[in-house]
Each structure stands twice: as C-alpha cells, then as structure tokens.
C-alpha cells in the first residue's frame, strides 16, 4: 500500500468523467488499497479514484467511504433513488482548508459492485447519503463547490484547534 497525492481543485483530471471498471485486476486492487490508506491518512470520509489518479487510465469508477461504521468500497456505483433534503457543511480533500453549505438529498440508495464484481445495494441517510452522492459526483467530473450556497469558508484543521486551546 502507498499514500497517493490528492489532486486539488483546478486540476483538469477532477473534471473528467471516469470509465466503468470491467474487471478487478491486481493493479485495481492496489489502487483500492492506496485509496483507503490515503483517505485515512488525510482524515477524510470518502475518496474517489480521480482524486488520486496519476494517469487517465486511473480514472476508474471507484469510491471508498468510511463514515465510522464499516468501510465501503463501491465499484461502478449508480444512484438508484434519493429522497428528502438536508443542508449542511461539506468539505473535500481536493479543496483543502475550505468548506461550504450544500443541500443534498437526505437519503440515497446506490447499486455498486464489490472487489469480486458482485452487485450489492447500499442505502444511507444523512452523512452516508451525503458522502455517497459527493463521491459519485467526483466520478462524473463534479466538485461540491458547484453546489455551494454562498461563499466557501476557511476551515481550521483539528490540530490547529487543539494548539489554539493550549495557548
């Protein structure tokens, strides 16, 4: 496993539509492992393949998410259903130090495939719904900043919060 550099806003790769995964190869498994490691190191909730893509061929429809329950791997995720509405602060590893207010559905039902290319359904509300929809947007070349209501806000990393409290 290896940490990968996270692409940041302004990088044209983040605006590309990703290609469907036809088969899971050893190289794909390495990418998935690297995505989880990179997401955890960056203290993120989710990460999409284009965020760590190093070449166009890495632009695969793969997402990893961990909202604190069970880590999720979604290959070729497809939104089947959404309902309700939630408005809240959203951030992104590709837009470091910033957050914005975004309205998204409160519930999402998504079909995807696991590492063995077996189909499954995941349903989520609140944070999980937000994470699913946010990461799937990445696969279609969209960043949350396109949906922000008002201006982006500066976000102080948790370490800096702790340092300020200690002073």
């Amino acid at each position: 496993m290896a940490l990968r550099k996270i692409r940041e806003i302004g990088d044209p790769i983040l605006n590309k539509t990703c290609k469907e995964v036809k088969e899971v190869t050893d190289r794909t498994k390495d990418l998935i492992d690297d995505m989880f490691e990179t997401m955890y190191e960056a203290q993120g909730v989710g990460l999409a393949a284009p965020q760590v893509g190093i070449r166009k061929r890495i632009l695969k429809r793969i997402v990893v998410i961990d909202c604190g329950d069970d880590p999720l791997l979604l290959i070729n995720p497809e939104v089947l259903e959404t309902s309700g509405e939630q408005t809240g602060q959203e951030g992104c590893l590709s837009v470091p130090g910033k957050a914005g207010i975004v309205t998204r559905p409160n519930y999402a039902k998504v079909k995807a495939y696991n590492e063995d290319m077996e189909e499954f359904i995941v349903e989520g509300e609140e944070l999980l719904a937000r994470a699913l929809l946010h990461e799937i947007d990445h696969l279609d070349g969209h960043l949350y900043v396109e949906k922000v209501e008002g201006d982006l806000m500066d976000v102080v990393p948790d370490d800096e919060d702790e340092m300020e409290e200690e002073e």
Side-chain angles (χ1 to χ4, degrees):
M1 294 198 312
L3 289 177
R4 295 198 181 209
K5 183 179 183 324
I6 297 172
R7 292 181 176 266
E8 295 183 3
I9 191 168
D11 188 317
I13 289 290
L14 295 173
N15 301 114
K16 304 278 186 201
T17 300
C18 297
K19 294 176 173 55
E20 185 177 319
V21 175
K22 304 275 191 215
E23 67 174 323
V24 176
T25 64
D26 287 341
R27 182 173 258 159
T28 308
K29 290 177 183 178
D30 288 343
L31 171 63
I32 291 165
D33 290 342
D34 292 353
M35 287 174 64
F36 273 112
E37 186 174 348
T38 302
M39 176 185 71
Y40 290 132
E41 178 67 24
Q43 299 179 347
V45 170
L47 190 68
Q51 292 179 273
V52 294
I54 51 176
R55 295 175 293 282
K56 283 187 180 177
R57 65 186 171 85
I58 300 291
L59 294 179
K60 305 278 190 195
R61 295 190 74 80
I62 301 173
V63 164
V64 296
I65 294 173
D66 191 342
C67 292
D69 297 327
D70 291 323
L72 289 172
L73 162 66
L74 297 100
I75 298 175
N76 301 331
E78 178 185 335
V79 178
L80 299 176
E81 182 182 333
T82 61
S83 65
E85 187 176 275
Q86 61 171 309
T87 299
Q89 187 171 304
E90 197 164 311
C92 180
L93 296 176
S94 290
V95 187
K98 299 288 184 184
I101 302 299
V102 177
T103 298
R104 292 193 184 267
N106 194 53
Y107 165 83
K109 181 177 183 179
V110 173
K111 174 179 83 171
Y113 296 87
N114 65 18
E115 199 171 89
D116 298 318
M117 293 305 285
E118 299 166 336
E119 185 179 303
F120 68 97
I121 302 287
V122 61
E123 296 177 84
E125 293 180 324
E126 298 172 356
L127 179 58
L128 180 54
R130 182 177 293 278
L132 288 165
L133 298 171
H134 174 112
E135 298 307 331
I136 292 170
D137 276 354
H138 274 297
L139 302 180
D140 295 319
H142 299 288
L143 296 174
Y144 85 99
V145 295
E146 298 168 29
K147 299 176 186 284
V148 168
E149 301 163 17
D151 295 327
L152 289 176
M153 301 170 275
D154 290 329
V155 176
V156 178
D158 288 342
D159 321 9
E160 290 182 29
D161 284 342
E162 290 171 16
M163 287 173 50
E164 287 174 9
E165 289 172 11
E166 290 173 7
E167 292 176 358

